[in-house]
Amino acid sequence: MHYNRVMKKVVLLLLIGILFYTRLVGLNWGLPYPMHPDERNMAVAVQQFSCPPLSLLIANPQLLSHCLNPHFFAYGQLPLYFAYGGIQLYHFVMGIPIQTTFIEATLALRIISALSSIMLVLVLLKIIFLIVPKKKPTDFGFLVIAFIFFIFQPYAIQLSHFGTTESLLMLLYSLIIYYSLKLLTTNHQSLITVFFLALFSGLALGTKSSSLLFLGVPAVALIIKMIGGSHGRDPDSAHLAEKRGALAGRRMTDRIYHFLQIVFLFFFITLAVFCISSPQSLLNWDSFLSSMNYESTIGLGATIPFYTRQFVGTIPLLFQFEKILPYVLGWPTLIVSILGFFFLPSYMRTRIWRSILRIYAGDALFEHSNYPRASSSTSKGTKYGATQSAKLFDVLRFALLISLLPPSFFFAKWTRFISPSFPLFSLFALLFIISLNSRLRGNDKLKRFTLFVIGFACIIPGIAYLSIYTSPDIRFTASDWIYENIPAHSKILSETANVIDLPIPSPTSQLLTSNYQINSFNFYDLDSSYDLQMGLSEALKRAEYIIVPSRRIFKNHAATEYPQIASYYADLFSG
């Protein structure tokens, strides 16, 4: 027995070590260059933080709008303040008197993403333990499988390596979902649960204003709690069945009054935390609104800059399920998660079908039908547990839909817009695997083998994705090849508007810059400018080498709308 406990601890420590490794390995990937535009903007904002002396702030409170002003409002200030505070603490402990560097700011932001991704795994495990009957999560084998499954999710590995808001938002949204579910599964300390719900909701708003969508989940949980009373039970299963008339009316009135109090408390704490975590959004309200208006015009397609042309003519949802989700989840996890979304128990689906049967078949015929319903169990405890689990699955469904559907219908369909939904896909996949395990009949060895194959298939994409960060940035590899194979002073035709132009010396490269004559040509406006068309003809005559640094141009410009661009790349790739 003692040996088993020791072995379990060793296995858990090993899994925790693997988790930290997958999130922290190669955290300096791409540095010292600003490869990610959003990460670069956030790092620059951290670099330029400053604050007038306290005496001046007291004498002139208007200077508060200049204290730790990021001059960048596409995101909230919470992750920027975390990064800045961590850097200042590091400088103080190490006795470093210099200003914050770009590399320090970037690494600080990436550490926040990595730690958020690590904590996300623990929160997802707690959600699983909350939903699945307790006798199953206590099985050590189940814990190991769930742990490994969440460790090797491609999106978690990728987003932990960038100093942007996605990992932090996924963590905060998962915490909001966890406490929303907890609100429905317990009748004790609900005020504490509401406090944590409001705390994490406010922090999410302080990270990104679009997190306003997240508030839909606690709102639904509070409404269910108010309607169902204790443990979110059905109104026709407990309190309304006791006494009617004035007493029943008073109880419902009291419940509504209590609900309004809780809602007021929730929104008050949420607003207070938002103001504390992102104060410059209020102190520089005009700049904040201006940034939000600009981001809205880009997101909704009112303005179409060159970097959003890949979204022209795309179909909402089809684009996400074709171009994003198979890669951030892997095809196996995506398929299993869709099966879980539709086939795991649903309280609402059961109620709807029961109502349809009552309408079309009649009460008498319905009572003699074999259609499954929440009250079919003879055990009161089993009945409540099954009904409760079905309700929790429905809350998860709502949480996934509210984080996936609205952003999917934006014109700009960047991956980051739907990133909060990724952990929910993982949850549905694992929950479906658990459900499948309980439903499979027959040979135990065959059952275990089947589940092993499904589970292993789901983690292969994550294992493969990890290789990206255990290898040098591909731009360094390409640049090294250029330096080794293209003679110095060569004339190179390249493309403009990249985050950084190739070639670039890698941090470990011993090769010196070869003084290439690089023409960063504006292919984006080729069809609308006769001068550029003439200029391209001359550039091709002079060029000795051509660099195509990305897919952004040749993959995202249809021949019907951009015939000159399409013709150039068709000729180029045809030789």
Side-chain angles (χ1 to χ4, degrees):
M1 185 66 71
H2 175 70
Y3 175 78
N4 288 338
R5 286 199 298 267
V6 172
M7 287 303 298
K8 287 180 179 179
K9 290 180 180 179
V10 170
V11 171
L12 284 178
L13 287 174
L14 179 63
L15 290 175
I16 292 171
I18 294 173
L19 172 61
F20 272 81
Y21 175 78
T22 59
R23 301 317 190 251
L24 296 173
V25 65
L27 209 60
N28 62 343
W29 191 76
L31 290 176
Y33 301 99
M35 303 295 197
H36 193 301
D38 292 323
E39 181 182 65
R40 176 195 61 199
N41 291 336
M42 293 179 68
V44 170
V46 172
Q47 275 187 278
Q48 62 188 12
F49 274 152
S50 63
C51 192
L54 182 60
S55 57
L56 288 178
L57 291 176
I58 295 174
N60 188 1
Q62 291 182 343
L63 291 177
L64 282 172
S65 62
H66 299 282
C67 183
L68 300 181
N69 184 351
H71 303 286
F72 174 67
F73 294 96
Y75 303 114
Q77 289 93 64
L78 180 67
L80 306 180
Y81 289 164
F82 277 161
Y84 182 73
I87 294 170
Q88 295 306 306
L89 179 62
Y90 172 74
H91 281 184
F92 175 78
V93 172
M94 302 301 294
I96 301 175
I98 61 173
Q99 290 290 107
T100 301
T101 66
F102 175 80
I103 293 179
E104 282 181 329
T106 304
L107 283 175
L109 290 166
R110 290 184 180 183
I111 289 172
I112 293 170
S113 294
L115 294 178
S116 297
S117 188
I118 290 169
M119 290 187 285
L120 174 65
V121 172
L122 305 180
V123 175
L124 293 179
L125 288 173
K126 288 180 72 67
I127 292 175
I128 292 287
F129 296 167
L130 197 64
I131 294 177
V132 180
K134 289 185 177 180
K135 63 180 180 180
K136 292 182 181 177
T138 52
D139 179 74
F140 186 72
F142 166 83
L143 175 61
V144 171
I145 292 171
F147 212 142
I148 294 174
F149 181 85
F150 288 132
I151 286 175
F152 290 103
Q153 292 299 292
Y155 64 85
I157 295 172
Q158 181 195 35
L159 297 177
S160 67
H161 284 80
F162 290 110
T164 52
T165 60
E166 283 76 44
S167 283
L168 184 56
L169 283 176
M170 289 192 299
L171 171 64
L172 292 171
Y173 191 39
S174 297
L175 283 165
I176 291 170
I177 292 168
Y178 170 71
Y179 281 101
S180 295
L181 297 177
K182 194 170 184 180
L183 188 69
L184 298 175
T185 55
T186 179
N187 197 36
H188 305 291
Q189 299 178 326
S190 59
L191 284 178
I192 295 177
T193 304
V194 170
F195 169 78
F196 281 113
L197 262 178
L199 172 64
F200 294 122
S201 297
L203 293 176
L205 288 173
T207 302
K208 194 174 182 181
S209 57
S210 61
S211 301
L212 194 64
L213 283 172
F214 297 175
L215 302 188
V217 179
V220 165
L222 288 169
I223 291 172
I224 294 174
K225 192 73 172 179
M226 186 273 294
I227 295 175
S230 176
H231 297 283
R233 289 189 178 94
D234 298 330
D236 61 349
S237 65
H239 46 273
L240 296 183
E242 294 176 0
K243 293 185 179 181
R244 304 193 178 277
L247 182 60
R250 189 181 67 187
R251 287 189 173 184
M252 179 59 78
T253 303
D254 291 343
R255 195 155 49 249
I256 293 174
Y257 179 70
H258 178 69
F259 167 75
L260 294 176
Q261 285 181 314
I262 294 294
V263 168
F264 174 79
L265 178 66
F266 171 79
F267 282 106
F268 175 79
I269 297 174
T270 299
L271 182 61
V273 173
F274 164 67
C275 293
I276 294 171
S277 60
S278 190
Q280 291 297 336
S281 298
L282 301 176
L283 295 173
N284 289 275
W285 183 251
D286 290 340
S287 298
F288 172 73
L289 279 185
S290 176
S291 177
M292 290 299 99
N293 289 334
Y294 172 75
E295 295 295 332
S296 297
T297 59
I298 301 298
L300 297 176
T303 301
I304 304 179
F306 69 90
Y307 53 84
T308 63
R309 288 181 183 173
Q310 67 264 38
F311 304 122
V312 173
T314 54
I315 301 174
L317 288 180
L318 178 62
F319 180 89
Q320 283 78 11
F321 277 89
E322 180 184 358
K323 304 292 186 181
I324 298 177
L325 293 173
Y327 301 97
V328 299
L329 298 167
W331 275 111
T333 299
L334 176 59
I335 292 171
V336 177
S337 66
I338 293 173
L339 293 174
F341 183 89
F342 285 106
F343 293 110
L344 285 169
S346 170
Y347 177 78
M348 288 301 298
R349 184 171 63 222
T350 301
R351 297 284 292 186
I352 290 170
W353 280 111
R354 289 179 67 192
S355 299
I356 292 173
L357 284 176
R358 284 183 183 276
I359 292 172
Y360 289 99
D363 288 346
L365 184 59
F366 172 79
E367 293 300 330
H368 290 88
S369 71
N370 293 321
Y371 186 81
R373 44 195 181 269
S375 59
S376 60
S377 174
T378 56
S379 168
K380 184 177 180 181
T382 305
K383 164 189 167 183
Y384 170 67
T387 303
Q388 183 70 2
S389 295
K391 286 184 177 180
L392 299 184
F393 286 134
D394 283 341
V395 173
L396 284 181
R397 288 185 176 93
F398 175 76
L400 190 152
L401 293 176
I402 203 173
S403 58
L404 174 68
L405 291 185
S408 296
F409 285 87
F410 292 170
F411 168 78
K413 301 175 181 65
W414 284 304
T415 299
R416 68 175 183 268
F417 284 0
I418 62 168
S419 60
S421 69
F422 299 160
L424 287 154
F425 279 99
S426 300
L427 279 171
F428 273 109
L430 186 57
L431 287 167
F432 184 74
I433 292 173
I434 296 169
S435 175
L436 194 63
N437 179 61
S438 64
R439 291 175 180 273
L440 284 177
R441 298 288 184 268
N443 189 290
D444 286 342
K445 290 184 178 179
L446 179 62
K447 183 169 70 170
R448 284 196 295 268
F449 176 76
T450 302
L451 294 175
F452 172 79
V453 170
I454 296 173
F456 186 70
C458 288
I459 68 171
I460 286 178
I463 296 173
Y465 208 94
L466 187 62
S467 65
I468 294 174
Y469 302 105
T470 56
S471 305
D473 188 313
I474 193 64
R475 283 161 285 208
F476 294 148
T477 307
S479 297
D480 287 343
W481 186 95
I482 291 171
Y483 288 129
E484 291 172 1
N485 293 275
I486 296 181
H489 307 288
S490 295
K491 298 178 179 67
I492 298 175
L493 175 63
S494 188
E495 302 169 356
T496 191
N498 297 295
V499 175
I500 189 166
D501 288 329
L502 298 180
I504 50 175
S506 68
T508 59
S509 176
Q510 301 299 317
L511 297 170
L512 299 177
T513 303
S514 298
N515 296 318
Y516 296 124
Q517 299 178 45
I518 299 176
N519 179 4
S520 293
F521 193 83
N522 179 14
F523 285 96
Y524 291 99
D525 297 325
L526 185 62
D527 281 272
S528 60
S529 172
Y530 179 77
D531 290 339
L532 285 176
Q533 294 170 20
M534 294 298 100
L536 178 59
S537 179
E538 292 299 317
L540 286 170
K541 291 177 183 178
R542 292 194 299 269
E544 298 171 309
Y545 298 89
I546 296 175
I547 292 178
V548 182
S550 74
R551 298 153 47 97
R552 178 179 279 176
I553 299 179
F554 75 85
K555 274 289 188 179
N556 297 321
H557 292 77
T560 54
E561 297 183 44
Y562 303 97
Q564 294 289 337
I565 295 177
S567 176
Y568 166 76
Y569 283 101
D571 291 343
L572 178 64
F573 295 141
S574 70

